[in-house]
């Protein structure tokens, strides 16, 4: 499989290492607008920056190349990409986090939210910690977790960064040097606290999941998620 890396920062370099180890070829690696070499790729993997993501994904779809995107912070334009993918009969996967463990964590989060929905004595909060180079806050993963809680818990209708309103799920975002990513969900009452947490030890898990998604999407058409790739929560 020939891969174009759109975004060649720390994540792009980790993806390159894993992809080569799995027998794939990197035909393009760039941190600027994709070049003509994009047309030589079987699939594009976008781990760029929010301001570049829409252009990167659009160029790949316009060249009939399936796209895996792990860039967060651009989802105000998701409907535009969704429409383009449909118009081009293309293939696209966005995930706020490609880690296999995190996607299992997403399922645990949804299940726990449903279980706790009728227990009014428990207040929910989310804390996320990332490295100081991360540009967006809260993280895309924290937003995904929060949206799933809001959807499955009757006491919350929205989330906010550092929110304190009763019906608003609060997210705390911390930035600490050399932390790949930790996400903690607390259900706290006067008598006890229930906590679920996912801690990434390195970028390897994110990168491996992205490469697995790229392998999976070849030959497919449509807009998919990691639930499709991993066949979980169906």
């Amino acid at each position: 499989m020939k891969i174009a890396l759109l975004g060649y920062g720390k994540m792009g370099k980790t993806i390159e290492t894993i992809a080569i180890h799995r027998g794939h070829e990197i035909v393009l690696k760039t941190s600027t607008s994709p070049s003509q070499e994009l047309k030589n790729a079987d699939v594009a993997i976008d781990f760029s920056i929010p301001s570049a993501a829409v252009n990167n994904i659009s160029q790949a779809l316009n060249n009939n190349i399936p796209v895996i995107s792990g860039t967060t912070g651009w989802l105000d334009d998701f409907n535009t990409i969704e429409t383009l993918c449909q118009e081009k009969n293309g293939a696209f996967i966005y995930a706020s986090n490609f880690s296999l463990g995190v996607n299992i964590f997403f399922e645990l989060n949804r299940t726990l939210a449903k279980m706790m929905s009728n227990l009014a004595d428990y207040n929910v909060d989310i804390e996320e910690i990332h490295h100081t180079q991360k540009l967006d806050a809260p993280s895309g993963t924290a937003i995904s977790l929060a949206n799933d809680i809001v959807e499955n818990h009757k006491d919350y209708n929205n989330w906010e960064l550092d929110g304190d309103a009763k019906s608003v799920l609060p997210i705390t975002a911390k930035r600490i040097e050399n932390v790949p990513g930790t996400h903690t969900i607390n259900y706290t009452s006067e008598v006890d606290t229930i906590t679920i947490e996912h801690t990434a030890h390195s970028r390897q898990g994110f990168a491996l999941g992205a490469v697995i998604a790229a392998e999976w999407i070849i030959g497919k058409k449509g807009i998919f998620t990691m639930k499709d790739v991993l066949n979980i929560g169906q």
Side-chain angles (χ1 to χ4, degrees):
M1 185 172 67
K2 296 180 179 179
I3 300 175
L5 296 178
L6 310 181
Y8 194 59
K10 292 179 180 179
M11 270 299 299
K13 291 178 173 66
T14 306
I15 290 169
E16 178 183 31
T17 299
I18 289 176
I20 291 172
H21 180 73
R22 291 173 71 89
H24 305 305
E25 178 184 355
I26 307 299
V27 296
L28 172 65
K29 43 191 178 185
T30 180
S31 293
T32 59
S33 184
S35 59
Q36 288 296 316
E37 284 92 342
L38 179 60
K39 296 179 179 179
N40 299 324
D42 298 314
V43 63
I45 300 178
D46 169 65
F47 273 81
S48 56
I49 57 175
S51 60
V54 173
N55 178 60
N56 288 345
I57 297 164
S58 298
Q59 289 205 40
L61 291 173
N62 283 325
N63 282 283
N64 298 311
I65 296 167
V67 193
I68 309 301
S69 177
T71 305
T72 59
W74 63 273
L75 292 187
D76 287 346
D77 295 308
F78 186 84
N79 288 342
T80 300
I81 293 300
E82 190 174 40
T83 299
L84 178 62
C85 184
Q86 292 167 344
E87 289 175 351
K88 296 294 181 179
N89 192 28
F92 176 62
I93 294 175
Y94 166 77
S96 59
N97 194 313
F98 279 92
S99 161
L100 307 186
V102 162
N103 281 277
I104 293 170
F105 188 63
F106 284 154
E107 287 301 307
L108 291 173
N109 176 54
R110 283 187 279 267
T111 300
L112 184 57
K114 292 174 185 176
M115 293 172 64
M116 301 297 290
S117 182
N118 292 316
L119 300 178
D121 290 340
Y122 287 86
N123 296 314
V124 192
D125 70 88
I126 297 175
E127 179 185 86
E128 59 99 341
I129 307 173
H130 280 87
H131 52 85
T132 53
Q133 289 77 38
K134 185 165 182 60
L135 299 179
D136 53 320
S139 68
T141 301
I143 292 172
S144 294
L145 291 164
N147 285 337
D148 284 340
I149 293 172
V150 169
E151 182 178 335
N152 290 287
H153 196 297
K154 65 180 181 62
D155 290 343
Y156 296 94
N157 55 35
N158 204 350
W159 60 265
E160 286 182 7
L161 187 64
D162 300 321
D164 58 5
K166 183 171 179 56
S167 62
V168 171
L169 173 64
I171 302 176
T172 302
K174 298 180 180 179
R175 296 293 174 262
I176 299 173
E177 194 69 33
N178 298 321
V179 176
T182 299
H183 295 86
T184 307
I185 300 165
N186 299 300
Y187 286 81
T188 304
S189 74
E190 290 186 359
V191 297
D192 59 13
T193 297
I194 300 169
T195 297
I196 59 172
E197 180 174 275
H198 179 274
T199 301
H201 301 306
S202 72
R203 293 182 176 84
Q204 299 285 331
F206 311 134
L208 175 61
V211 175
I212 288 173
E215 294 168 347
W216 180 89
I217 204 171
I218 296 297
K220 295 180 175 65
K221 301 294 183 183
I223 299 167
F224 305 100
T225 69
M226 282 299 284
K227 291 174 70 172
D228 300 303
V229 176
L230 300 176
N231 193 28
I232 57 176
Q234 304 296 341

mmCIF file with all atom_site columns, all heavy atoms in Angstrom, residues 2 49 59 100 120 136 146 211 219:
data_model
loop_
_atom_site.group_PDB
_atom_site.id
_atom_site.type_symbol
_atom_site.label_atom_id
_atom_site.label_alt_id
_atom_site.label_comp_id
_atom_site.label_asym_id
_atom_site.label_entity_id
_atom_site.label_seq_id
_atom_site.pdbx_PDB_ins_code
_atom_site.Cartn_x
_atom_site.Cartn_y
_atom_site.Cartn_z
_atom_site.occupancy
_atom_site.B_iso_or_equiv
_atom_site.pdbx_formal_charge
_atom_site.auth_seq_id
_atom_site.auth_comp_id
_atom_site.auth_asym_id
_atom_site.auth_atom_id
_atom_site.pdbx_PDB_model_num
ATOM 1  N N   . LYS A 1 2   ? 0.527   2.215  -0.832 1.00 0.00 ? 2   LYS A N   1
ATOM 2  C CA  . LYS A 1 2   ? 1.276   3.464  -0.925 1.00 0.00 ? 2   LYS A CA  1
ATOM 3  C C   . LYS A 1 2   ? 0.546   4.547  -0.140 1.00 0.00 ? 2   LYS A C   1
ATOM 4  O O   . LYS A 1 2   ? -0.632  4.809  -0.377 1.00 0.00 ? 2   LYS A O   1
ATOM 5  C CB  . LYS A 1 2   ? 1.425   3.868  -2.386 1.00 0.00 ? 2   LYS A CB  1
ATOM 6  C CG  . LYS A 1 2   ? 2.250   2.878  -3.215 1.00 0.00 ? 2   LYS A CG  1
ATOM 7  C CD  . LYS A 1 2   ? 2.363   3.325  -4.662 1.00 0.00 ? 2   LYS A CD  1
ATOM 8  C CE  . LYS A 1 2   ? 3.212   2.340  -5.466 1.00 0.00 ? 2   LYS A CE  1
ATOM 9  N NZ  . LYS A 1 2   ? 3.324   2.731  -6.887 1.00 0.00 ? 2   LYS A NZ  1
ATOM 10 N N   . ILE A 1 49  ? -2.576  20.202 11.018 1.00 0.00 ? 49  ILE A N   1
ATOM 11 C CA  . ILE A 1 49  ? -3.026  21.200 11.988 1.00 0.00 ? 49  ILE A CA  1
ATOM 12 C C   . ILE A 1 49  ? -4.429  21.641 11.571 1.00 0.00 ? 49  ILE A C   1
ATOM 13 O O   . ILE A 1 49  ? -4.825  21.476 10.412 1.00 0.00 ? 49  ILE A O   1
ATOM 14 C CB  . ILE A 1 49  ? -2.073  22.407 12.068 1.00 0.00 ? 49  ILE A CB  1
ATOM 15 C CG1 . ILE A 1 49  ? -1.905  23.061 10.693 1.00 0.00 ? 49  ILE A CG1 1
ATOM 16 C CG2 . ILE A 1 49  ? -0.713  21.984 12.624 1.00 0.00 ? 49  ILE A CG2 1
ATOM 17 C CD1 . ILE A 1 49  ? -1.068  24.325 10.707 1.00 0.00 ? 49  ILE A CD1 1
ATOM 18 N N   . GLN A 1 59  ? -8.209  17.898 -1.050 1.00 0.00 ? 59  GLN A N   1
ATOM 19 C CA  . GLN A 1 59  ? -7.350  17.551 -2.181 1.00 0.00 ? 59  GLN A CA  1
ATOM 20 C C   . GLN A 1 59  ? -7.284  16.044 -2.388 1.00 0.00 ? 59  GLN A C   1
ATOM 21 O O   . GLN A 1 59  ? -7.300  15.569 -3.527 1.00 0.00 ? 59  GLN A O   1
ATOM 22 C CB  . GLN A 1 59  ? -5.955  18.135 -1.988 1.00 0.00 ? 59  GLN A CB  1
ATOM 23 C CG  . GLN A 1 59  ? -5.915  19.650 -2.140 1.00 0.00 ? 59  GLN A CG  1
ATOM 24 C CD  . GLN A 1 59  ? -4.531  20.152 -2.549 1.00 0.00 ? 59  GLN A CD  1
ATOM 25 O OE1 . GLN A 1 59  ? -3.859  19.544 -3.375 1.00 0.00 ? 59  GLN A OE1 1
ATOM 26 N NE2 . GLN A 1 59  ? -4.121  21.261 -1.975 1.00 0.00 ? 59  GLN A NE2 1
ATOM 27 N N   . LEU A 1 100 ? -6.538  2.061  19.528 1.00 0.00 ? 100 LEU A N   1
ATOM 28 C CA  . LEU A 1 100 ? -7.480  0.954  19.701 1.00 0.00 ? 100 LEU A CA  1
ATOM 29 C C   . LEU A 1 100 ? -8.040  0.958  21.123 1.00 0.00 ? 100 LEU A C   1
ATOM 30 O O   . LEU A 1 100 ? -9.233  0.736  21.339 1.00 0.00 ? 100 LEU A O   1
ATOM 31 C CB  . LEU A 1 100 ? -6.797  -0.373 19.392 1.00 0.00 ? 100 LEU A CB  1
ATOM 32 C CG  . LEU A 1 100 ? -6.075  -0.469 18.031 1.00 0.00 ? 100 LEU A CG  1
ATOM 33 C CD1 . LEU A 1 100 ? -5.565  -1.888 17.811 1.00 0.00 ? 100 LEU A CD1 1
ATOM 34 C CD2 . LEU A 1 100 ? -6.976  -0.034 16.892 1.00 0.00 ? 100 LEU A CD2 1
ATOM 35 N N   . ALA A 1 120 ? -29.117 10.563 40.193 1.00 0.00 ? 120 ALA A N   1
ATOM 36 C CA  . ALA A 1 120 ? -28.976 12.018 40.265 1.00 0.00 ? 120 ALA A CA  1
ATOM 37 C C   . ALA A 1 120 ? -27.945 12.485 41.287 1.00 0.00 ? 120 ALA A C   1
ATOM 38 O O   . ALA A 1 120 ? -27.495 13.633 41.235 1.00 0.00 ? 120 ALA A O   1
ATOM 39 C CB  . ALA A 1 120 ? -30.330 12.649 40.582 1.00 0.00 ? 120 ALA A CB  1
ATOM 40 N N   . ASP A 1 136 ? -5.185  22.576 20.346 1.00 0.00 ? 136 ASP A N   1
ATOM 41 C CA  . ASP A 1 136 ? -6.589  22.783 20.678 1.00 0.00 ? 136 ASP A CA  1
ATOM 42 C C   . ASP A 1 136 ? -6.893  22.299 22.090 1.00 0.00 ? 136 ASP A C   1
ATOM 43 O O   . ASP A 1 136 ? -6.273  21.383 22.604 1.00 0.00 ? 136 ASP A O   1
ATOM 44 C CB  . ASP A 1 136 ? -7.497  22.078 19.668 1.00 0.00 ? 136 ASP A CB  1
ATOM 45 C CG  . ASP A 1 136 ? -7.152  20.600 19.488 1.00 0.00 ? 136 ASP A CG  1
ATOM 46 O OD1 . ASP A 1 136 ? -5.953  20.293 19.459 1.00 0.00 ? 136 ASP A OD1 1
ATOM 47 O OD2 . ASP A 1 136 ? -8.067  19.768 19.376 1.00 0.00 ? 136 ASP A OD2 1
ATOM 48 N N   . ALA A 1 146 ? -17.297 13.713 25.859 1.00 0.00 ? 146 ALA A N   1
ATOM 49 C CA  . ALA A 1 146 ? -18.342 14.585 26.398 1.00 0.00 ? 146 ALA A CA  1
ATOM 50 C C   . ALA A 1 146 ? -19.630 14.466 25.586 1.00 0.00 ? 146 ALA A C   1
ATOM 51 O O   . ALA A 1 146 ? -20.729 14.379 26.159 1.00 0.00 ? 146 ALA A O   1
ATOM 52 C CB  . ALA A 1 146 ? -17.859 16.030 26.415 1.00 0.00 ? 146 ALA A CB  1
ATOM 53 N N   . VAL A 1 211 ? -2.873  3.521  10.899 1.00 0.00 ? 211 VAL A N   1
ATOM 54 C CA  . VAL A 1 211 ? -2.408  2.643  9.814  1.00 0.00 ? 211 VAL A CA  1
ATOM 55 C C   . VAL A 1 211 ? -3.397  1.496  9.610  1.00 0.00 ? 211 VAL A C   1
ATOM 56 O O   . VAL A 1 211 ? -3.708  1.129  8.463  1.00 0.00 ? 211 VAL A O   1
ATOM 57 C CB  . VAL A 1 211 ? -0.991  2.120  10.105 1.00 0.00 ? 211 VAL A CB  1
ATOM 58 C CG1 . VAL A 1 211 ? -0.564  1.107  9.043  1.00 0.00 ? 211 VAL A CG1 1
ATOM 59 C CG2 . VAL A 1 211 ? 0.009   3.273  10.153 1.00 0.00 ? 211 VAL A CG2 1
ATOM 60 N N   . GLY A 1 219 ? -10.529 0.080  -1.013 1.00 0.00 ? 219 GLY A N   1
ATOM 61 C CA  . GLY A 1 219 ? -11.599 -0.597 -1.741 1.00 0.00 ? 219 GLY A CA  1
ATOM 62 C C   . GLY A 1 219 ? -12.997 -0.268 -1.266 1.00 0.00 ? 219 GLY A C   1
ATOM 63 O O   . GLY A 1 219 ? -13.980 -0.782 -1.814 1.00 0.00 ? 219 GLY A O   1
#
